[in-house]
Amino acid sequence: MADAGSWTDVRLRAAWASRDWAAIFREYRRAARMSQLEFGSLIGMPQSHVSLIESGKRKVTSADLIARITEGLEVPNELTGLPEPHAPKSWSPDPELSDRIAHAHTKGRIDVRSADWISRVLAEHRRAEDAIGGRDLWPVVRSQLDAVTRLLPGSSGAVADRLLILAAEHGHWLSWVAAEEGKRGPARAWLDVAHGWAMDAGSVDMVSWLTRVRSYYTLNNGDPVRALRTAEAAQRAPGDLSPAAASIAAHAAAMAAAAVGERDRSRQLAESSYELALRVPNEEERPGWLYWLDPVRAKLNLGDAAYTARDWTTAVDILQQALPELDGYPRDQAFYSARLEDARRRA
């Protein structure tokens, strides 16, 4: 019997998106902890053929075989309609998304289990993007967003709000990946769409977070004055921010204040950000998209603000304390290590 839980695995979903059948077979077996013989029984294939496909000595080209694999492995609906792998035709949001969202809050029935499933999978994508890379996961997440928005016309009330927040989380992820790919216009377009969904859902934390991301983009594009103004708006989001959301908004303001030369204000904001983060050390106490803001990452943020304010000695002291405690996140490891070495040279 197929293991539906295996399809939450990000490496498996990325393999499906690329139509790499050898990788699909290997990653499914790894996720399901299954032998080649057991795997073959799911799709009606001898173990020897499974081995040949995994080794690249046999190709999967038959439509009938692909259909048998898809059915046997119980591939989720949001993946079965993925187009053949290629660079995205457009990095920007599709116009029909707004039309689909406009029909939210109508009365109807909703498959809440589907929403739970997609939320769980998105959490796995967030955690794995640092290692796998967003470009490979782009078509999967884009397809998941379609699945979320298709649920909206049948939703109402709190369920519709929940789906809108989930859509906003997907929109933010797509914005982030587009920005990493140098697609500034689409990155901001996805951010705008996600911000509207968060506003419709009444999610103060998500509104603040998306405004903070806009500040980050603006600062990276060389406009610290506007970045500071935007970060201040993130701190003033309409409603009461959770400690984690308030922490990351204060950190954005600290980074922008340092960039415009307001070092004392930057230090005060950075310390406030750190103290707020320490109030919610456990992941379940923070919004899902801030899963990473544990005490170690909070301390690294504090060191990063000191580095941006050119307080080299403080940056060295903080970063060299926190960096050995950072578990995983290879790109972040490299980023903060480079910061630390540069601060050491300048101190």
Side-chain angles (χ1 to χ4, degrees):
M1 182 177 179
D3 178 11
S6 299
W7 287 103
T8 63
D9 186 86
V10 180
R11 285 161 55 183
L12 173 58
R13 293 169 78 88
W16 182 271
S18 64
R19 296 297 194 277
D20 183 342
W21 294 103
I24 291 168
F25 281 28
R26 287 194 301 268
E27 298 298 348
Y28 187 97
R29 290 199 306 105
R30 175 191 57 77
R33 299 180 180 179
M34 186 177 287
S35 69
Q36 289 183 341
L37 183 62
E38 292 169 325
F39 179 85
S41 69
L42 292 179
I43 59 176
M45 181 179 289
Q47 180 273 332
S48 58
H49 288 190
V50 174
S51 178
L52 288 171
I53 290 171
E54 287 192 7
S55 65
K57 296 178 180 177
R58 180 177 176 180
K59 304 297 181 183
V60 175
T61 56
S62 163
D64 289 341
L65 177 55
I66 292 173
R68 197 165 78 231
I69 293 171
T70 302
E71 181 179 354
L73 300 185
E74 296 182 6
V75 180
N77 290 337
E78 75 270 15
L79 295 182
T80 55
L82 287 180
E84 287 301 309
H86 51 68
K89 292 180 179 178
S90 173
W91 288 91
S92 300
D94 296 332
E96 79 253 15
L97 278 176
S98 297
D99 293 337
R100 201 179 292 159
I101 293 290
H103 294 291
H105 297 276
T106 60
K107 292 183 178 180
R109 300 182 63 184
I110 180 72
D111 183 357
V112 176
R113 287 190 303 173
S114 295
D116 287 341
W117 165 265
I118 295 171
S119 179
R120 180 182 171 193
V121 169
L122 179 61
E124 297 294 330
H125 290 334
R126 282 197 296 259
R127 295 172 189 275
E129 190 268 334
D130 183 68
I132 294 178
R135 188 183 183 94
D136 290 341
L137 292 173
W138 175 279
V140 179
V141 176
R142 185 64 186 79
S143 180
Q144 287 170 197
L145 175 58
D146 282 338
V148 172
T149 57
R150 279 194 294 269
L151 294 172
L152 275 162
S155 67
S156 62
V159 175
D161 289 343
R162 178 180 169 195
L163 288 170
L164 283 165
I165 294 171
L166 184 55
E169 289 189 62
H170 279 75
H172 157 257
W173 192 97
L174 293 164
S175 170
W176 192 262
V177 172
E180 295 254 307
E181 293 287 329
K183 312 293 183 181
R184 293 183 182 180
R188 288 182 176 273
W190 279 112
L191 210 58
D192 289 342
V193 169
H195 187 274
W197 294 339
M199 289 289 288
D200 287 347
S203 175
V204 178
D205 281 354
M206 178 58 84
V207 168
S208 175
W209 165 250
L210 293 167
T211 307
R212 174 265 174 192
V213 174
R214 183 179 297 278
S215 173
Y216 174 82
Y217 289 168
T218 304
L219 185 61
N220 280 359
N221 291 337
D223 191 345
V225 173
R226 192 154 59 94
L228 179 56
R229 190 163 61 238
T230 306
E232 290 169 341
Q235 294 181 284
R236 298 192 304 268
D240 294 329
L241 291 175
S242 69
S247 170
I248 204 65
H251 173 67
M255 296 292 283
V260 299
E262 297 185 20
R263 297 179 64 183
D264 290 342
R265 183 185 178 194
S266 175
R267 182 176 64 254
Q268 292 168 1
L269 285 163
E271 290 172 354
S272 173
S273 172
Y274 182 60
E275 291 167 3
L276 284 163
L278 293 184
R279 287 170 53 185
V280 281
N282 299 320
E283 182 179 333
E284 59 271 15
E285 299 176 290
R286 302 188 294 270
W289 57 91
L290 295 178
Y291 69 92
W292 48 270
L293 189 60
D294 58 19
V296 174
R297 297 298 288 268
K299 185 175 284 189
L300 287 168
N301 278 351
L302 188 62
D304 200 23
Y307 176 92
T308 305
R310 305 176 70 83
D311 185 353
W312 310 121
T313 301
T314 301
V316 169
D317 289 344
I318 296 174
L319 292 175
Q320 68 185 5
Q321 289 175 30
L323 193 54
E325 301 178 45
L326 182 61
D327 186 24
Y329 304 102
R331 286 194 291 183
D332 286 344
Q333 289 271 4
F335 174 81
Y336 287 115
S337 294
R339 282 278 210 252
L340 176 56
E341 289 307 311
D342 189 52
R344 280 175 174 158
R345 284 194 298 270
R346 296 171 181 268

